[in-house]
Amino acid sequence: MPSPIQKTSVSQQVVDYVLNCIDQGDLKQGDCLPGEREFAESLGISRVPLREGISALAAIGIVDKRHGEGNFIAQFSPEILSRILRTYTRLDHNLADDLFEARSLVEGAAARLAARNATPEDIGELHRMVEQMKEDVRAYVQGEKTLAYMLQQDDKFHLQCAAASHNEFYIQFVGILHDFGTNAGLYEQTYGQNPEKYYVSLDFHSRLVSAIESKNEHEAQEIMCSHIESIRFNTEHR
């Protein structure tokens, strides 16, 4: 691990120290931090700033505090970064545009790669999800499914498309973007006011899976980008 911080260090420097350890590979997901007394002594500080620093790391999801077990480096989740984004940003019109542009770039590229790398198992799961969506949309239009359920299923489909790319960075980025947009309530009014708009999404999903299955990279990317542009248009003109 890096050399201990100086005695004048405060809680922010504890945060920086732990993050540096993660950056350098000295701490990994699932690793347990030293006990409070041992950790404070090794850093040359008192327990108060140490506790404050650990609490700050826990608040943003870097550290998982387990009662009676200790403090652990948390497993990565898109919710961690999206939570930070929601804390420091406000989803105004301009930021919504930025989000859709990011989705188009990232998900378009992920769809292109999915057409190249998808396994038969990936394609089978995507087909299964489209068939399930056909039933879900019918049920939603008839008032038998909730909007929350539909948004969750839609997220799962897009995450599965990213998973079919077999590129870990795209998988994580798509998860972050979807978590941010969904939890910010960006899509609720659009699909809540007009449930039949999900038929448009269903058509895009079906054509996207066909493009991935046929390994047509250009078409897969184009369909995904058009799909996201359609969502943006519906959101702006709800």
Side-chain angles (χ1 to χ4, degrees):
M1 289 188 179
S3 58
I5 56 182
Q6 301 302 310
K7 290 184 178 180
T8 54
S9 298
V10 292
S11 58
Q12 180 58 52
Q13 289 171 289
V14 174
V15 171
D16 292 340
Y17 175 80
V18 173
L19 293 178
N20 284 337
C21 287
I22 294 172
D23 285 342
Q24 296 179 25
D26 295 314
L27 286 172
K28 300 178 177 62
Q29 295 180 20
D31 283 353
C32 182
L33 296 177
E36 189 176 281
R37 176 181 296 178
E38 176 189 353
F39 203 5
E41 289 178 354
S42 70
L43 299 177
I45 60 174
S46 71
R47 296 188 192 184
V48 173
L50 176 65
R51 290 172 187 158
E52 292 174 348
I54 297 300
S55 293
L57 288 164
I60 60 173
I62 301 297
V63 168
D64 181 14
K65 299 177 73 174
R66 303 177 192 172
H67 182 68
E69 296 183 46
N71 300 313
F72 296 80
I73 302 301
Q75 298 294 314
F76 175 81
S77 168
E79 170 65 20
I80 294 172
L81 290 182
S82 65
R83 185 190 310 157
I84 296 171
L85 287 172
R86 291 198 307 275
T87 300
Y88 292 103
T89 61
R90 178 172 59 86
L91 195 63
D92 58 18
H93 178 75
N94 292 330
L95 190 56
D97 281 345
D98 289 346
L99 177 64
F100 281 118
E101 286 178 4
R103 282 193 60 186
S104 185
L105 287 169
V106 174
E107 294 193 60
R112 186 183 189 97
L113 204 54
R116 184 186 309 171
N117 296 336
T119 65
E121 291 74 21
D122 293 327
I123 293 169
E125 179 61 15
L126 287 169
H127 274 300
R128 185 200 66 77
M129 296 178 88
V130 167
E131 291 304 310
Q132 180 62 51
M133 188 178 182
K134 291 178 182 177
E135 177 60 27
D136 288 341
V137 171
R138 181 201 62 77
Y140 178 57
V141 170
Q142 295 180 359
E144 298 169 3
K145 296 285 185 180
T146 66
L147 175 59
Y149 170 84
M150 296 299 294
L151 292 172
Q152 182 183 60
Q153 296 306 108
D154 189 71
D155 278 349
K156 287 180 179 179
F157 176 83
H158 283 263
L159 291 172
Q160 181 60 34
C161 287
S165 74
H166 293 273
N167 181 297
E168 191 61 30
F169 283 99
Y170 283 131
I171 295 169
Q172 300 293 358
F173 289 157
V174 170
I176 291 166
L177 292 170
H178 273 263
D179 190 83
F180 182 85
T182 299
N183 283 289
L186 184 59
Y187 316 115
E188 289 181 1
Q189 273 193 296
T190 299
Y191 293 101
Q193 291 179 354
N194 191 348
E196 294 197 2
K197 286 187 181 294
Y198 263 117
Y199 282 116
V200 177
S201 289
L202 175 59
D203 179 64
F204 276 115
H205 287 194
S206 181
R207 290 193 290 121
L208 180 60
V209 174
S210 294
I212 292 173
E213 185 174 25
S214 63
K215 294 191 175 298
N216 191 326
E217 297 179 25
H218 177 71
E219 185 177 6
Q221 184 171 17
E222 275 202 339
I223 292 171
M224 179 63 85
C225 291
S226 295
H227 177 30
I228 293 169
E229 183 59 32
S230 173
I231 298 171
R232 184 213 293 252
F233 178 83
N234 287 333
T235 300
E236 290 177 346
H237 297 82
R238 59 179 181 267

